Amino acid sequence: MSKESRTILYFVRHAESVYVEGQERERGLTERGCRDAAIVAEVLSQEQIQWYYSSPYRRAVDTIQELADRSSAPVLMEEDLRERQLSDERVKHADFLESKSRLYLDPSFAYAGGESGEQAASRAVAVIHRILNIHAGQKVAIGTHGDVMTLIFQHYDASYGYEFWKSTTMPDIYKLEFNMEHELVQVTRLWQGGENI
């Protein structure tokens, strides 16, 4: 299959952002996060990306904004690309990894007020399907989050799960190539460096 017949999605996990209680949607990037967002723009500036989508959460938008600005293109917000809701209460950091692990072990399980893997994947993958249809043969950047990104990848390749999620960094960049039947044919990690979760 020729490269020209592929649709390429660049998933950009947001850069560093300090957790602030009750500010899941509004919290932006740290100073380091802003510096890394500039590096994201540098890394992807030669990829000739044509479209830019993002979770509506500020940290995701801010991570790809400079990249989009270089193309004089808007960042299109997609509510269903938001991060998975873990629960209606903040999970203590000590319990955070264990809580995440349980969610990946049982895709139908959800904490009170939270989303199961199946629920979050369903809404997010529907957006990806639409993007693949609308932008067939084009290059699209997507501002995203670690959990929902992993669930999207898992939809196309079951080998993605908790261990992959834990290995991702802030920021992170993955280039996914799809054929015209929307089958995932290649994954390339483009980000070098950064610290794990």
Side-chain angles (χ1 to χ4, degrees):
M1 179 178 64
S2 70
K3 294 276 187 180
E4 289 72 25
S5 61
R6 291 183 178 180
T7 306
I8 301 179
L9 305 185
Y10 299 83
F11 285 83
V12 181
R13 186 185 184 204
H14 68 80
E16 184 181 79
S17 175
V18 175
Y19 180 86
V20 180
E21 188 92 42
Q23 303 232 343
E24 185 64 3
R25 300 180 76 93
E26 297 85 15
R27 61 185 168 98
L29 303 177
T30 62
E31 281 188 32
R32 176 185 167 178
C34 290
R35 290 195 301 271
D36 283 343
I39 298 171
V40 166
E42 203 59 44
V43 169
L44 293 179
S45 62
Q46 304 305 312
E47 294 290 322
Q48 299 177 311
I49 295 168
Q50 297 143 295
W51 295 90
Y52 302 85
Y53 286 83
S54 181
S55 153
Y57 290 10
R58 185 179 157 201
R59 60 191 184 276
V61 177
D62 287 354
T63 303
I64 65 166
Q65 188 67 61
E66 182 176 335
L67 176 65
D69 288 347
R70 290 187 182 198
S71 301
S72 299
V75 176
L76 306 172
M77 311 290 179
E78 285 286 349
E79 179 64 32
D80 284 339
L81 291 178
R82 68 188 180 277
E83 182 60 303
R84 186 224 302 250
Q85 176 72 26
L86 187 56
S87 74
D88 56 9
E89 296 179 358
R90 185 178 179 191
V91 176
K92 293 188 182 75
H93 186 71
D95 304 324
F96 184 64
L97 293 179
E98 187 179 332
S99 300
K100 287 282 193 180
S101 177
R102 183 172 179 192
L103 287 167
Y104 279 104
L105 283 171
D106 183 356
S108 64
F109 173 77
Y111 292 100
E115 290 178 287
S116 69
E118 290 173 348
Q119 289 170 322
S122 177
R123 61 166 166 82
V125 169
V127 177
I128 301 306
H129 281 172
R130 182 154 40 86
I131 289 172
L132 289 170
N133 277 320
I134 294 171
H135 302 297
Q138 296 183 313
K139 295 181 175 183
V140 182
I142 298 171
T144 188
H145 307 268
D147 213 1
V148 77
M149 178 178 77
T150 301
L151 293 169
I152 291 167
F153 290 11
Q154 190 176 63
H155 173 80
Y156 295 99
D157 181 343
S159 69
Y160 288 91
Y162 174 73
E163 291 302 325
F164 169 77
W165 168 79
K166 203 165 69 163
S167 76
T168 60
T169 58
M170 290 187 244
D172 217 335
I173 308 171
Y174 290 87
K175 176 182 179 180
L176 274 63
E177 301 181 45
F178 294 83
N179 63 22
M180 291 299 109
E181 285 71 49
H182 297 181
E183 294 166 333
L184 179 60
V185 294
Q186 189 168 330
V187 177
T188 309
R189 189 183 190 192
L190 300 182
W191 181 257
Q192 304 295 324
E195 295 177 6
N196 291 24
I197 292 164

